[in-house]
Amino acid sequence: MAAQIWYEQDGDLSVLQGKKVAIIGYGSQGHAHALNLRDSGVDVVVGLRPNSKSVEFAKEQGLEVKSVPEASAEADVIMILAPDQYQRTIWTNDIEPNIKEGAAVAFAHGFNIHYGYIKPSADHPVFMVAPKGPGHIVRREYAAGRGVPVVVAVEQDPRGDGWDITLAYAKALGALRAGAIKTTFKEETETDLFGEQDVLMGGINHLVECGFEVLTEAGYQPEIAYFEVCHELKMLVDLMNEGGLNKARWSCSDTAQYGDYISKVVDDSTKDRMRYQLGRIQDGSFAKEFIDDQDAGAPKFKELQEKYSHEKIEEVGPKLRAMFSWNKGEAADADEAQSFTGKIARAQVQ
């Protein structure tokens, strides 16, 4: 069955007229949502801890900033954009005791609703607008008159206006310029976690690391190994983004294509391991492991973060990336976005 997709004409901004939208958190997504909605004419307040460093960033952009309890008490729509591991504490301590009767609760990822860490009462509409891109791109594309596509879902709809609110929010974000695909909290959460763990992060990162180590352990120069297993990856991904797997294949040499077709590195045993990982996502055991570790102060997370920050490939990577003059513009944009995101990520509501 074809996916249901909504576009610009399907959203009505008047649905949000006279309503206050509270954006909880001012990180990568938070700043983009707050600024885009504000520029679309929506009445926005940002909810933050009074001592959060993000307060100054938000005020510099001309946004109204209040504490999370204050913002929640006056909002008709509350979009929770703090990191997954902090959301349930913010909900329990600051939002739930102050939320208006019937106020809508929104998310950009289904994690806490799907796994039951947050359970709004039945009188609250619950919806999701999840951009398929980082916050700085959501903001950049909106400012350029374009948009980043989103997936949207409604979990609770007590009044029957849940989809109207969802599509109005998506339009104010600029997302309907690109399109909004209907999903569910369950589907978005499970596919998002699977994609991150088994393809985008846990797949590609480890594949690159393994390829680099196999070549260098066989005596090849690290610089040459880096070019072959890491640097050229962007070219291939860009081709996939433009025209799918077929364009990526057809744009490479016959030798490369043939090697692709006969490769057995990723095979049915890989799919079996992926199915195992998907099972852990579906039954909630991954979520529990992650949240339990975070609740304990994130010892395992910090240990792994430290370990993988010192992979051998990154001993040669910075030197070679400095050679790519044609990337310097993009690198500067990325560094600026990372700097901004890094500053505000440490200062988000916790």
Side-chain angles (χ1 to χ4, degrees), residues 127-155:
F127 71 90
M128 174 171 57
V129 176
K132 294 291 97 182
H136 70 277
I137 295 180
V138 173
R139 178 57 182 165
R140 184 191 72 193
E141 292 301 289
Y142 177 94
R146 300 184 295 265
V148 170
V150 293
V151 297
V152 292
V154 173
E155 184 77 3

Side-chain angles (χ1 to χ4, degrees), residues 1 11 25 34 40 48 55 59 61 74 81 87-88 90 134 137 142 181 204 211 234 236 249 287 316-317 342:
M1 184 173 65
S40 292
L48 292 167
V55 171
K59 286 184 174 179
Q61 298 297 320
E74 64 183 49
L81 293 172
Q87 287 187 11
R88 77 192 195 284
I90 296 167
I137 295 180
Y142 177 94
I181 301 175
I204 289 174
K234 181 183 185 303
L236 198 64
R249 285 177 167 135
V316 67

Side-chain angles (χ1 to χ4, degrees), residues 2-320:
Q4 183 168 358
I5 305 177
W6 289 282
Y7 295 100
E8 192 77 352
Q9 69 273 12
D10 299 311
D12 182 1
L13 287 178
S14 70
V15 172
L16 296 177
Q17 286 182 358
K19 292 182 170 60
K20 174 82 81 171
V21 176
I23 304 297
I24 308 302
Y26 202 71
S28 175
Q29 288 292 336
H31 87 281
H33 285 238
L35 294 172
N36 289 10
L37 264 65
R38 189 270 313 272
D39 291 351
S40 292
V42 177
D43 186 8
V44 173
V45 60
V46 177
L48 292 167
R49 289 178 292 108
N51 62 345
S52 168
K53 294 179 182 178
S54 294
V55 171
E56 62 183 275
F57 298 132
K59 286 184 174 179
E60 285 173 2
Q61 298 297 320
L63 291 162
E64 179 185 16
V65 180
K66 294 188 177 182
S67 70
V68 177
E70 290 173 329
S72 300
E74 64 183 49
D76 301 288
V77 179
I78 302 173
M79 171 60 83
I80 304 175
L81 293 172
D84 290 334
Q85 64 268 36
Y86 303 132
Q87 287 187 11
R88 77 192 195 284
T89 302
I90 296 167
W91 170 259
T92 300
N93 295 341
D94 297 326
I95 299 176
E96 190 173 28
N98 299 289
I99 191 171
K100 290 167 58 173
E101 182 178 348
V105 185
F107 300 84
H109 180 35
F111 186 97
N112 278 278
I113 291 293
H114 178 55
Y115 291 119
Y117 291 109
I118 293 177
K119 298 178 180 179
S121 60
D123 64 303
H124 297 292
V126 177
F127 71 90
M128 174 171 57
V129 176
K132 294 291 97 182
H136 70 277
I137 295 180
V138 173
R139 178 57 182 165
R140 184 191 72 193
E141 292 301 289
Y142 177 94
R146 300 184 295 265
V148 170
V150 293
V151 297
V152 292
V154 173
E155 184 77 3
Q156 292 183 181
D157 192 10
R159 300 187 300 262
D161 62 350
W163 282 109
D164 293 336
I165 298 171
T166 302
L167 295 178
Y169 189 102
K171 182 167 184 171
L173 190 63
L176 295 190
R177 299 169 182 173
I181 301 175
K182 184 179 182 181
T183 186
T184 64
F185 273 68
K186 179 182 189 299
E187 182 177 60
E188 186 277 337
T189 302
E190 293 177 358
T191 57
D192 184 77
L193 294 178
F194 177 82
E196 291 169 351
Q197 293 177 27
D198 296 296
V199 180
L200 304 178
M201 299 290 289
I204 289 174
N205 285 352
H206 293 303
L207 194 64
V208 169
E209 290 163 359
C210 286
F212 180 83
E213 290 173 7
V214 167
L215 287 176
T216 54
E217 287 167 4
Y220 298 103
Q221 296 180 78
E223 293 81 2
I224 302 301
Y226 182 92
F227 277 128
E228 297 302 334
V229 304
C230 185
H231 170 65
E232 293 186 17
L233 183 62
K234 181 183 185 303
M235 172 199 71
L236 198 64
V237 171
D238 285 347
L239 289 168
M240 290 180 191
N241 187 56
E242 292 169 11
L245 296 179
N246 283 336
K247 181 169 184 177
R249 285 177 167 135
W250 297 339
S251 299
C252 295
S253 69
D254 291 351
T255 312
Q257 282 190 60
Y258 186 75
D260 172 3
Y261 300 146
I262 67 167
S263 174
K264 301 301 181 185
V265 171
V266 177
D267 57 15
D268 286 343
S269 65
T270 307
K271 290 176 68 176
D272 288 339
R273 290 189 293 274
M274 284 182 164
R275 291 186 184 104
Y276 169 77
Q277 292 298 110
L278 179 59
R280 297 192 69 241
I281 291 167
Q282 291 172 328
D283 67 17
S285 55
F286 165 77
K288 184 178 187 305
E289 178 183 321
F290 173 69
I291 292 298
D292 286 350
D293 183 63
Q294 291 290 318
D295 286 349
K300 184 174 182 180
F301 175 81
K302 291 174 182 176
E303 177 187 346
L304 293 170
Q305 191 175 52
E306 174 66 16
K307 174 184 175 182
Y308 285 106
S309 295
H310 300 286
E311 289 296 307
K312 292 180 180 178
I313 192 169
E314 280 309 311
E315 294 174 8
V316 67
K319 177 178 69 174
L320 295 183

